[in-house]
Amino acid sequence: MRAWLTLSFLVACGPIYKDPPANPQQQQGQPQYQSGPPGGGADPWQGASESTGPTPPREPSPPREPAPPRAPTPASTKPAPSTGAPSAMSALVDAHNAHRAKHCAGPLAWSPKLAQAAQAWADALKAQGCKFGHKPRNPFGENLAAGTSGTLDGQAVADMWYDEVKLYQFPDGGFSMQTGHFTQVVWRQTTQIGCGVATCNGMDIYVCEYDPPGNVDTMYRQNVLPTGCR
């Protein structure tokens, strides 16, 4: 069985950004995953904490007898709404919208303006020697993620942020460093998304910008609904 090491770190936001924590396992080809602190909103941050990243891949199970095909349901025959995202980012946006649908939040549309801002910040982090932190004075919501180059894709990035749902306290949860990525992903008043990615020092850094931004104080109950939306 191939060994996988999955790590996720949250770092405090500020004008000086720290490099991702060094890990001796990285030298042996072990993948690393990191998720930056959630941006946007009006709640104060209480410092850094650690959370769990996506579940490591498992060895494939033995093949099973294929099940007989089922007749498509009316919902499955409807084409997915077009988000306008480029092919390289379509999986990331589609994963956002699949998670949002579970919480009665409408699909996000791709914004070239937000994508330009996200790519500019990803390039700026690369230019700073692969620093990892939020853009100061950002009018948008922002989520960050980083992983060993080639080990993350759009689906995995969105799933890593959404995985914080298991720590969120419905219905009256508020901002938390442990759940702020999740709440931004499913924030109902957010309607647009744009993302960028840069590669440096063997890491892929993903940046997503959101408008209107989520994580706004006093607005969680209306914007972060439980599954089933009750």
Side-chain angles (χ1 to χ4, degrees):
M1 179 183 294
R2 183 177 179 182
W4 288 83
L5 177 65
T6 303
L7 298 175
S8 177
F9 296 97
L10 295 176
V11 296
C13 180
I16 300 177
Y17 303 114
K18 299 181 180 180
D19 294 309
N23 190 324
Q25 296 282 356
Q26 186 179 15
Q27 308 251 337
Q28 302 175 16
Q30 300 297 331
Q32 293 186 97
Y33 304 129
Q34 303 171 57
S35 185
D43 295 54
W45 294 359
Q46 299 301 322
S49 63
E50 187 171 328
S51 66
T52 305
T55 304
R58 301 177 180 177
E59 291 186 351
S61 302
R64 297 181 179 180
E65 190 73 21
R70 298 180 180 179
T73 61
S76 65
T77 61
K78 296 180 181 179
S82 174
T83 64
S87 58
M89 290 294 177
S90 61
L92 181 53
V93 182
D94 289 345
H96 270 75
N97 289 339
H99 291 315
R100 288 174 62 84
K102 303 173 195 174
H103 300 267
C104 288
L108 300 176
W110 182 260
S111 166
K113 174 183 176 181
L114 294 179
Q116 183 178 18
Q119 188 61 55
W121 186 240
D123 292 340
L125 294 175
K126 177 179 179 178
Q128 296 176 57
C130 208
K131 302 291 183 180
F132 194 58
H134 278 295
K135 178 166 54 178
R137 298 179 297 279
N138 188 0
F140 308 120
E142 184 174 85
N143 276 349
L144 305 177
T148 303
S149 185
T151 64
L152 284 177
D153 58 17
Q155 180 76 51
V157 169
D159 288 351
M160 180 166 62
W161 291 334
Y162 179 79
D163 191 55
E164 296 173 352
V165 63
K166 61 190 177 186
L167 301 176
Y168 190 74
Q169 299 297 315
F170 295 98
D172 296 317
F175 181 81
S176 167
M177 290 292 290
Q178 288 82 15
T179 60
H181 303 91
F182 155 70
T183 51
Q184 174 60 87
V185 167
V186 303
W187 195 263
R188 297 182 74 195
Q189 289 183 345
T190 298
T191 59
Q192 294 184 309
I193 186 174
C195 303
V197 61
T199 301
C200 54
N201 295 344
M203 302 287 286
D204 293 333
I205 299 178
Y206 284 82
V207 178
C208 282
E209 307 285 351
Y210 304 85
D211 192 43
N215 293 340
V216 179
D217 193 20
T218 76
M219 298 295 291
Y220 285 83
R221 190 179 182 95
Q222 303 96 309
N223 282 279
V224 184
L225 300 183
T227 55
C229 311
R230 297 179 180 176

